Amino acid sequence: MVFKRLMQAMGVGGPSVETVLANPNCRPGGQLEGTITVTGGDHSVDISYVALGLMTRVEVESGDNEYSTNQEFQRQHVTGAFRLEGGQRHDIPFRFDVPWETPVTELYGRHLAGMTMGLRTELEVARAVDSSDLDAVAVHPLPAQERLLEALLRLGFRFARADVERGHIYGVHQTLPFYQEIEFYPAPQYAGAMKQLEVTFIADPRQLQVVLELDKRGGLFTEGRDVFGRFTMDYATLDQTDWAAQLDGWLRQSLQRRGLFG
């Protein structure tokens, strides 16, 4: 995981930056480690700071329009100001904290379609800021997230896609300005009652909040509407629950209450 580019702010002969991640794989609440190497060019320069930013692709709804944008959601300065002599090499080891609510990008070695995640290095010289391209980061599920996703697969749900939407979920404590939706095609036993199932995880150091959204099938004279459910998975008691049975019971009850499931 390496990038190297000439500082545009300084033109020809300016400093170059190379960032190497020791391991691009991480989990929410974990850390990314690596080294940033800044190499001087033809002349001495004063570096104001070097910073890292974790970014993802976010869907934004604005009125009747929808668009995608890259959004930085975690930023960390790794140095303050320093003088870089011509040709001098300056190595900066770093540990970057990954927020607990960071969206997941991988599942069982497979990249989740629709997800983008990367670390960007930023350097300021003479009040001009230059940023690298995104250095890809792979975010793997927490054990609790894995447990729930495994339960869905055991029930017969099939992964469709994932995205990140700007906004907050009502009644759920969030620290980030967006949330991830992982979409599944329905298992055969529910196919007549729903079009898809969307799963959102909001993690913190002690527990995982899970939000389920059922996109109901509309009939000839009825309009399909979304059904929400929410529960909490405590990390300390994770192994005491059959999550496939728990999910199956909740889904059947929710659909039966609305006359969609026999």
Side-chain angles (χ1 to χ4, degrees):
M1 308 299 293
V2 179
F3 71 79
K4 188 172 183 178
R5 63 183 294 184
L6 193 65
M7 286 293 297
Q8 295 174 350
M10 299 303 298
V12 177
S16 62
V17 181
E18 182 177 307
T19 296
V20 179
L21 284 171
N23 186 346
N25 298 283
C26 65
R27 292 182 189 265
Q31 289 185 324
L32 291 164
E33 298 185 14
T35 303
I36 301 169
T37 299
V38 185
T39 304
D42 296 342
H43 47 273
S44 301
V45 293
D46 290 314
I47 308 293
S48 299
Y49 67 81
V50 179
L52 292 166
L54 190 59
M55 305 186 71
T56 191
R57 198 75 173 162
V58 177
E59 302 290 333
V60 182
E61 289 188 10
S62 178
D64 295 332
N65 299 319
E66 185 173 309
Y67 63 93
S68 298
T69 183
N70 282 337
Q71 179 162 349
E72 181 181 277
F73 62 96
Q74 177 79 337
R75 183 177 178 83
Q76 191 171 308
H77 277 238
V78 293
T79 71
F82 63 94
R83 180 79 171 174
L84 185 69
E85 303 297 336
Q88 179 187 2
R89 171 173 170 156
H90 187 64
D91 291 328
I92 309 165
F94 67 84
R95 288 184 176 179
F96 186 91
D97 295 325
V98 179
W100 281 94
E101 294 176 25
T102 299
V104 173
T105 67
E106 314 293 317
L107 183 59
Y108 302 121
R110 172 186 173 187
H111 181 76
L112 297 183
M115 290 304 304
T116 299
M117 187 72 60
L119 198 64
R120 185 178 69 177
T121 306
E122 185 177 279
L123 187 151
E124 182 180 295
V125 180
R127 297 185 179 178
V129 176
D130 196 27
S131 300
S132 72
D133 296 329
L134 290 183
D135 200 17
V137 170
V139 185
H140 298 263
L142 293 164
Q145 293 170 326
E146 284 183 339
R147 193 65 55 86
L148 192 87
L149 294 170
E150 285 173 359
L152 286 171
L153 296 177
R154 281 169 51 199
L155 288 172
F157 286 88
R158 293 177 297 116
F159 171 74
R161 64 184 301 274
D163 66 6
V164 177
E165 299 193 9
R166 183 176 292 175
H168 288 81
I169 300 173
Y170 178 78
V172 176
H173 176 69
Q174 286 176 241
T175 61
L176 297 182
F178 54 70
Y179 56 90
Q180 181 181 32
E181 288 187 337
I182 305 176
E183 300 177 9
F184 290 87
Y185 297 116
Q189 63 269 35
Y190 312 112
M194 71 173 77
K195 290 187 292 185
Q196 66 184 25
L197 175 68
E198 295 179 349
V199 180
T200 294
F201 297 122
I202 306 293
D204 67 33
R206 295 183 300 104
Q207 61 186 19
L208 178 69
Q209 296 180 82
V210 182
V211 180
L212 302 177
E213 181 178 350
L214 281 66
D215 188 354
K216 292 163 39 181
R217 288 193 178 277
L220 182 60
F221 302 106
T222 60
E223 181 182 351
R225 291 182 297 173
D226 296 338
V227 179
F228 290 87
R230 186 172 72 230
F231 59 89
T232 299
M233 301 174 72
D234 192 299
Y235 302 147
T237 58
L238 190 63
D239 295 331
Q240 298 175 16
T241 301
D242 182 339
W243 293 105
Q246 189 93 342
L247 282 169
D248 183 58
W250 183 85
L251 291 169
R252 289 175 183 271
Q253 289 174 13
S254 297
L255 295 170
Q256 285 170 351
R257 282 199 300 267
R258 291 159 180 84
L260 297 169
F261 201 80

